[in-house]
Amino acid sequence: MYNTSSQYDIFQYTPNEKDLSVNNPYLKEILQYHNTELDEYQYWNLRYELIKKYAFAVPTFEILNIIKELSPIIEICAGNGYWAFMLNQLGCDIIAYDKYPPGDIVFPFSNFAHNYWFDEEWYPVEKGDATIASYFPNRTLFLCWPEPQNSMAFDALYSYKKAGGHTVIFIGDMIACADDRFYDMLSSFKLNLKKQIWGYKYFNEFIAIYSL
């Protein structure tokens, strides 16, 4: 299931001048562990802590620049808005939605019906479920690490397509994200780009861009 290769291990990533030209606290914190020997337990725990603080995928300038070129963008399942925060720095027109924005409690006195992963908000994240994508067919749909075995990604893509949407950006690992219906629908679209990205070594993370 997992890719243990260090070929694209983000902890081995060497930033370039463009990476350092933007405010990217996530990458900056990761660079503190550059070439540090971590055992499996330490690696998994550090990943968990960084995800809760920032995002599942780590933005690098190269990938941000690819996405920026497809602005304006609507991001669904945006979490704490970290990717939107980064893209906004590059001048990208992006709006972000999540079913449970950071700090959102659905039921009074509940410790469970909220955004489990994220507390801090890096960029304004509006409350909205997957079907909100249908309101913005003129924007590029961006999905970054949608929940595994969950209909959210499929619902967003289906709603977006039905409304006349034109372009989808997906970032994640096909085993660890979304469900089969999502990938079945994606396979019917034109693949314009698929590129492996720097990420955590236990996953095969890539960016894929499709035309509908």
Side-chain angles (χ1 to χ4, degrees):
M1 177 178 179
Y2 300 116
N3 170 29
T4 58
S5 169
S6 61
Q7 182 179 0
Y8 287 94
D9 181 2
I10 191 64
F11 288 104
Q12 308 302 320
Y13 180 70
T14 301
N16 55 44
E17 290 183 5
K18 291 183 177 179
D19 280 312
L20 300 176
S21 70
V22 292
N23 178 25
N24 191 349
Y26 198 174
L27 183 59
K28 184 177 180 180
E29 186 163 349
I30 282 175
L31 292 176
Q32 296 177 17
Y33 298 91
H34 189 71
N35 292 324
T36 299
E37 290 293 330
L38 298 171
D39 62 33
E40 187 170 335
Y41 177 81
Q42 291 172 320
Y43 198 102
W44 278 103
N45 276 276
L46 181 56
R47 174 182 180 268
Y48 176 80
E49 293 302 323
L50 291 171
I51 284 173
K52 285 185 67 67
K53 193 172 181 179
Y54 302 107
F56 275 84
V58 184
T60 59
F61 187 90
E62 178 189 15
I63 303 305
L64 291 168
N65 197 50
I66 290 172
I67 298 172
K68 182 198 72 171
E69 295 302 314
L70 298 171
S71 176
I73 288 172
I74 175 171
E75 183 179 7
I76 300 294
C77 196
N80 62 10
Y82 190 81
W83 275 80
F85 161 75
M86 292 302 305
L87 287 163
N88 180 253
Q89 289 186 58
L90 273 64
C92 180
D93 177 357
I94 183 168
I95 53 177
Y97 285 87
D98 198 283
K99 188 175 182 179
Y100 304 123
D104 182 48
I105 303 296
V106 178
F107 302 109
F109 313 112
S110 169
N111 292 321
F112 303 101
H114 66 288
N115 192 315
Y116 173 78
W117 282 100
F118 307 113
D119 293 317
E120 184 173 356
E121 187 175 69
W122 289 91
Y123 187 84
V125 179
E126 301 295 329
K127 185 175 178 63
D129 64 18
T131 61
I132 201 75
S134 66
Y135 290 84
F136 302 96
N138 294 326
R139 288 178 174 264
T140 296
L141 175 62
F142 177 36
L143 298 164
C144 183
W145 270 83
E147 291 184 62
Q149 303 306 314
N150 186 290
S151 67
M152 185 282 297
F154 172 79
D155 293 340
L157 184 57
Y158 178 83
S159 299
Y160 180 71
K161 177 188 176 185
K162 190 174 180 181
H166 54 85
T167 307
V168 176
I169 303 169
F170 168 72
I171 288 180
D173 179 314
M174 290 184 67
I175 294 177
C177 300
D179 61 12
D180 290 341
R181 293 188 304 162
F182 173 71
Y183 297 112
D184 288 344
M185 183 174 286
L186 271 185
S187 67
S188 67
F189 305 141
K190 179 184 176 183
L191 177 62
N192 298 316
L193 172 74
K194 185 174 182 180
K195 179 182 178 64
Q196 189 157 10
I197 66 174
W198 290 85
Y200 296 101
K201 67 179 180 179
Y202 296 108
F203 300 90
N204 291 306
E205 294 186 61
F206 62 87
I207 180 173
I209 299 173
Y210 295 83
S211 295
L212 279 63

